[in-house]
Amino acid sequence: MDPIKQSSSELVFTVRRQKAELLAPAKPTPRETKLLSDIDDQEGLRFQIPVINFYRKDSSMGGNDPVKVIKKAIVETLVFYYPFAGRLREGNGRKLMVDCTSEGVMFVEADADVTLEQFGDELQPPFPCLEELLYDLPGSAGVLNCPLLLIQVTRLRCGGFIFALRLNHTMSDAPGLVQFMTAVGEMARGASAPSTLPVWCRESLNARNPPQVTCTHHEYDEVPDTKGTIIPLDDMVHKSFFFGPSEVSALRRFLPPHLRKCSTFELLTSVLWRCRTISLNPDPEEEVRVLCIVNARSRFNPPLPNGYYGNAFAFPVAVTTAAKLCKNPLGYALELVKNTKSDVTEEYMKSVADLMVMKGRPHFTVVRTYLVSDVTRAGFGEVDFGWGKAVYGGPAKGGVGAIPGVASFYIPFRNKNGENGIVVPICLPAFAMEIFVKELDSMLKSDDAPVISTNYSIIRPAL
């Protein structure tokens, strides 16, 4: 049972890109200013998030060129999603708004001298030559006054292609982005309008008047980095870990019987948070946090409208000391994680929006923090431009965000043995990754009755 499946990161190939162009909506669209919500425009979402989908050749598509098909579909979709063709401006109180200018989204056409098969049996992060497959056009990555989407379609030598996208996260969360990508896929397959029409309605997630913080939000605590524990950016290692049915069963054995029916998300989050903390070896008495992204769409009464594509999630947090997390049985971490998810209610979301306005839109806490986002049900891999579902669809890498190394995604994945499971990209300094791998392996490969490690005396190597 080896959960560590590194992608063919040694693979090197050449990507030839055409000059980037702006794709504007196919028809005239309203020239107006649309305010983002007070959930959208918090500091922790002011970054670009990369997504990548790989597609096989489909002989039924004949001589259709995926670049031409997708380009045409994008301009048609932008008629409905015209705010994406605008630019962000900042007003009083750092309030973000979309100036619907119809300037367009950035589009790059490319060809790569590589086949899909050369990427290996199992497509998963880290992807080789990612910076070539999703090229960072100089001057395009700012939050304000820049394209809100960058899309690159790269043809492969085998007839397959790669659809890569970079989104300004203040505009949408994972469900919102998948909604847009699905609409592009529908238009590419001949639809005259998306099956789900976009709904703006961002005022639903605005602060109240007057704002009043009614819930506890430790996810926004101001924590000084007294001991230099924000992860260093040099010497970072990216690896992916696969958790199929056998791996999940092996980890469940570490839980007492009354907790074994927990969700896979809760189990993996508890295990990874604990292993990661052991690997980074913070001061035993210092606080450590795990932030669990929770989609709040259904937690409103009535629920947010179908078609809402703004950010509609919270970062509820579990907090404990490093010593308690690492020395207690796994059930301790699990109970903390389980409790966080139930925190998110309509009132909680309103309280977050109020906090944003009252405190100047703070960034969530990053000191000694691990953030996890479950996109197993988001539907990235279901997006079909006419060539069928993606071979891989989802986040392009782990560790993204304003503070690299903090975040992991749970991505649906089928391994080469045909097992369905979850792949999790992890980003850690090299010294910590070695310890993380050993700690996780010891849990997965323990044949005896599980013995909970209390080995929390690993010496931190000199950085």
Side-chain angles (χ1 to χ4, degrees):
M1 228 179 347
D2 182 5
I4 306 155
K5 312 278 191 190
Q6 279 187 278
S7 78
S8 50
S9 50
E10 299 78 26
L11 179 65
V12 178
F13 50 87
T14 303
V15 177
R16 296 178 308 284
R17 287 181 301 276
Q18 305 296 322
K19 187 178 178 185
E21 56 185 314
L22 286 169
L23 301 185
K27 297 176 187 173
T29 56
R31 179 65 205 263
E32 58 187 353
T33 298
K34 297 177 92 65
L35 297 178
L36 293 188
S37 80
D38 289 319
I39 297 295
D40 290 321
D41 62 7
Q42 54 186 295
E43 185 64 35
L45 297 182
R46 296 185 185 206
F47 72 96
Q48 307 280 348
I49 188 156
V51 167
I52 193 163
N53 280 25
F54 292 75
Y55 292 91
R56 286 196 178 93
K57 176 182 179 179
D58 185 335
S59 53
S60 72
M61 291 302 287
N64 282 313
D65 177 2
V67 170
K68 288 181 180 168
V69 170
I70 291 171
K71 263 178 78 171
K72 180 173 181 286
I74 289 169
V75 300
E76 290 170 351
T77 306
L78 287 174
V79 173
F80 300 90
Y81 285 87
Y82 63 89
F84 276 134
R87 299 291 182 266
L88 279 189
R89 318 289 188 215
E90 194 173 54
N92 294 333
R94 305 184 69 227
K95 183 71 190 170
L96 291 180
M97 60 199 76
V98 186
D99 185 1
C100 298
T101 60
S102 295
E103 286 173 76
V105 303
M106 193 67 79
F107 184 83
V108 179
E109 172 183 347
D111 292 272
D113 63 349
V114 67
T115 65
L116 192 57
E117 288 68 34
Q118 285 176 271
F119 282 88
D121 290 335
E122 299 189 336
L123 273 167
Q124 60 190 34
F127 297 107
C129 302
L130 177 62
E131 65 286 349
E132 298 296 316
L133 298 169
L134 185 56
Y135 180 63
D136 180 14
L137 281 158
S140 71
V143 173
L144 302 176
N145 310 312
C146 284
L148 298 170
L149 281 167
L150 182 151
I151 296 169
Q152 179 173 330
V153 179
T154 305
R155 303 180 194 90
L156 303 176
R157 228 172 47 209
C158 57
F161 67 95
I162 297 169
F163 175 96
L165 175 151
R166 193 185 68 194
L167 166 76
N168 183 321
H169 203 332
T170 61
M171 287 293 290
S172 297
D173 56 12
L177 175 56
V178 170
Q179 184 183 306
F180 170 78
M181 290 170 64
T182 300
V184 174
E186 289 173 341
M187 303 302 266
R189 301 197 315 274
S192 57
S195 59
T196 299
L197 291 173
V199 174
W200 188 256
C201 201
R202 306 284 170 118
E203 64 280 359
S204 301
L205 289 171
N206 274 349
R208 295 169 283 204
N209 188 13
Q212 47 181 328
V213 178
T214 52
C215 301
T216 303
H217 297 288
H218 288 305
E219 63 270 36
Y220 298 104
D221 286 351
E222 291 183 37
V223 179
D225 189 24
T226 51
K227 303 198 177 176
T229 48
I230 286 184
I231 292 180
L233 298 186
D234 52 342
D235 200 25
M236 295 295 273
V237 176
H238 291 256
K239 282 189 182 178
S240 279
F241 298 82
F242 176 73
F243 299 93
S246 52
E247 287 81 9
V248 171
S249 294
L251 295 174
R252 279 194 198 280
R253 294 177 309 139
F254 286 80
L255 296 172
H258 72 284
L259 290 177
R260 285 185 188 165
K261 288 188 176 174
C262 66
S263 71
T264 302
F265 172 87
E266 291 162 349
L267 173 67
L268 290 184
T269 301
S270 308
V271 168
L272 297 175
W273 181 29
R274 195 168 172 278
C275 290
R276 186 177 180 277
T277 304
I278 290 170
S279 76
L280 288 168
N281 197 33
D283 184 298
E285 295 313 308
E286 287 194 310
E287 284 185 343
V288 292
R289 286 167 164 72
V290 64
L291 272 60
C292 303
I293 287 183
V294 172
N295 181 351
R297 280 168 168 75
S298 63
R299 304 198 181 194
F300 284 79
N301 185 18
L304 291 178
N306 188 31
Y308 186 84
Y309 64 105
N311 291 284
F313 64 87
F315 299 102
V317 63
V319 185
T320 186
T321 65
K324 284 180 181 173
L325 177 64
C326 300
K327 290 186 176 180
N328 272 305
L330 184 63
Y332 173 80
L334 184 83
E335 297 266 28
L336 289 173
V337 170
K338 281 173 79 76
N339 290 340
T340 65
K341 291 171 66 185
S342 60
D343 286 347
V344 180
T345 59
E346 181 170 356
E347 182 61 31
Y348 191 93
M349 295 299 289
K350 288 177 176 174
S351 181
V352 171
D354 292 351
L355 182 146
M356 288 300 133
V357 169
M358 292 171 70
K359 297 207 172 174
R361 312 191 185 283
H363 200 293
F364 57 82
T365 308
V366 294
V367 178
R368 296 181 300 279
T369 292
Y370 182 40
L371 188 155
V372 293
S373 177
D374 181 359
V375 296
T376 53
R377 294 184 182 86
F380 286 106
E382 306 296 310
V383 174
D384 180 356
F385 300 106
W387 282 262
K389 293 178 182 178
V391 185
Y392 170 92
K397 59 182 179 178
V400 298
I403 312 293
V406 169
S408 284
F409 298 98
Y410 297 176
I411 304 163
F413 191 78
R414 174 174 289 185
N415 69 8
K416 60 186 175 186
N417 301 324
E419 283 184 308
N420 287 318
I422 294 171
V423 74
V424 184
I426 302 275
C427 181
L428 282 169
F431 79 83
M433 186 62 83
E434 281 186 39
I435 300 165
F436 180 90
V437 168
K438 285 178 187 168
E439 197 68 29
L440 183 57
D441 261 3
S442 70
M443 294 183 76
L444 289 167
K445 295 179 176 174
S446 170
D447 293 325
D448 307 320
V451 177
I452 302 298
S453 162
T454 55
N455 176 23
Y456 186 62
S457 57
I458 299 159
I459 305 298
R460 181 194 289 279
L463 293 179

